Amino acid sequence: FSSSAASEVYKRQMYRIMFAFNLQQRRTLSKKFLLLYGWGPDNNVQNNVTVAISELRLMLRDTEMEIMTIRGQGYQLLNMTH
């Protein structure tokens, strides 16, 4: 992979994570679920989800959306206006 190709792949996975949050509104999504949904069954690098969530939080910081960590369970996307 070139760095731009790897970057495009990573953006696709972040998009898939946001899509999963949209499909599962108000639900806590486990790290395992997000890893499987974003990267598929052949990837077991747990850090991928942590890094993607950090990047998504940065992208959402000036919006009304926030990704919360639910300790021991996973992550939840919240709309702070509701």
Side-chain angles (χ1 to χ4, degrees), residues 53-64:
I53 293 295
S54 294
E55 292 289 326
L56 288 168
R57 283 177 171 153
L58 287 173
M59 293 170 67
L60 295 171
R61 83 173 152 218
D62 293 327
T63 71
E64 295 159 349

Side-chain angles (χ1 to χ4, degrees), residues 10-51:
Y10 189 72
K11 286 179 188 176
R12 196 170 332 135
Q13 277 112 4
M14 287 178 40
Y15 174 80
R16 289 182 58 76
I17 287 174
M18 286 302 295
F19 188 73
F21 279 125
N22 189 50
L23 288 175
Q24 303 289 329
Q25 292 181 14
R26 299 188 186 111
R27 293 192 178 163
T28 301
L29 304 182
S30 71
K31 187 181 274 191
K32 183 177 180 177
F33 172 82
L34 291 172
L35 183 66
L36 182 63
Y37 198 85
W39 283 266
D42 297 329
N43 188 316
N44 293 315
V45 181
Q46 294 288 322
N47 192 44
N48 284 343
V49 173
T50 305
V51 172

